[in-house]
Amino acid sequence: MPALSRRRFMTLAAAGSAFASGGAGLPRKSFAAAPFAQPPLPFAETALAPVISAQTIQFHYGKHHAGYFTQLNQLAANTPYADLSLEQVVVKSAAAGDLRIFNNAAQAVNHNFYWDGLKPGGGRLPGGALADAIARDFGDVQAFKDAFVARTIGLFGSGWVWLVDDNGKLAFLEAGNADTPLVHGKRPLAVVDVWEHAYYLDYQNRRADHVRAVVDSLMNWDVVRDRLTA
Ligand code: MN
């Protein structure tokens, strides 16, 4: 069944069909319900304080992130999207112009990636491939971190600033709202969430101060290195 569903999906996506509503004569019963599940946090909700307080995580993980999964599961139920991986849903919904599916699926994936890249007592850059790439593309670690923070100031409104592998070169990508490197052919390596819900309880309007603290003390650069060398 999954293979058939995927083929049908590809055909419909190629035709640009507005199929997610379940219209266009689709055999709705052939598609499973969509049980996309929010992964558990990789740390205690108190672990990132004081930079990211337990209260922020209770809302950010427990309400915002969880809400994207709830919305996605409602939207994707009984559609071909229900048979895909979360990452496939992001790419296919973007190609098909299914904006509500895309926004919720992308936000689900973006936050999975965000939480996985943080840890208490982070911020220390390991030697090896990541350090070598930073030296090659930014000169030194301080210039790299400064550039990361500067790009978050440059992003107007809600969104994400991504560190990506762009054809073998490290680069930053400013991404508004739910936008993600997955739909731009770039490999995501690290991300900072700069929606106001990520920092407003702890830093209010001081976005740059928040990002500086995340980059200096919470970013799990070992994970970033592993993503680069994977
Ligand atoms: Mn967020």
Side-chain angles (χ1 to χ4, degrees):
M1 273 320 285
L4 174 64
S5 300
R6 213 164 280 125
R7 254 201 319 279
R8 175 180 289 281
F9 182 95
M10 298 292 283
T11 304
L12 290 164
S17 247
F19 55 84
S21 63
L26 281 183
R28 301 172 57 112
K29 294 277 196 280
S30 71
F31 301 117
F36 296 109
Q38 183 186 26
L41 272 180
F43 37 72
E45 65 184 25
T46 54
L48 305 185
V51 174
I52 300 176
S53 65
Q55 189 186 25
T56 289
I57 291 188
Q58 284 158 10
F59 282 98
H60 196 180
Y61 174 82
K63 302 294 183 186
H64 292 276
H65 190 195
Y68 298 125
F69 278 93
T70 301
Q71 287 291 312
L72 175 63
N73 283 329
Q74 288 172 2
L75 291 166
N78 301 310
T79 79
Y81 289 114
D83 289 337
L84 303 178
S85 73
L86 207 44
E87 288 77 8
Q88 286 174 317
V89 173
V90 170
V91 173
K92 302 290 185 191
S93 62
D98 285 332
L99 193 58
R100 290 182 70 205
I101 293 266
F102 171 78
N103 281 337
N104 286 284
Q107 285 295 80
V109 173
N110 291 348
H111 284 90
N112 290 352
F113 198 87
Y114 171 69
W115 300 122
D116 281 346
L118 301 177
K119 71 169 185 179
R124 191 192 63 81
L125 272 145
L130 178 63
D132 294 346
I134 286 171
R136 180 194 66 208
D137 296 333
F138 293 94
D140 61 47
V141 170
Q142 196 56 51
F144 165 74
K145 288 183 171 179
D146 290 348
F148 208 147
V149 174
R151 295 299 288 264
T152 66
I153 298 168
L155 177 70
F156 185 81
S158 295
W160 305 82
V161 175
W162 297 86
L163 175 70
V164 298
D165 176 354
D166 187 3
N167 285 315
K169 190 178 188 326
L170 297 182
F172 292 111
L173 176 69
E174 295 161 6
N177 298 316
D179 198 11
T180 163
L182 296 178
V183 298
H184 298 291
K186 302 180 198 308
R187 203 155 61 100
L189 300 175
V191 72
V192 178
D193 187 340
V194 289
W195 284 59
E196 286 183 350
H197 65 224
Y199 61 86
Y200 219 83
L201 292 174
D202 303 315
Y203 283 81
Q204 294 79 47
N205 60 312
R206 294 178 290 119
R207 176 186 283 195
D209 291 348
H210 166 76
V211 174
R212 174 74 67 185
V214 169
V215 166
D216 279 340
S217 67
L218 295 182
M219 189 65 75
N220 189 338
W221 295 110
D222 295 318
V223 165
V224 177
R225 176 202 54 200
D226 292 345
R227 288 167 176 164
L228 178 65
T229 56

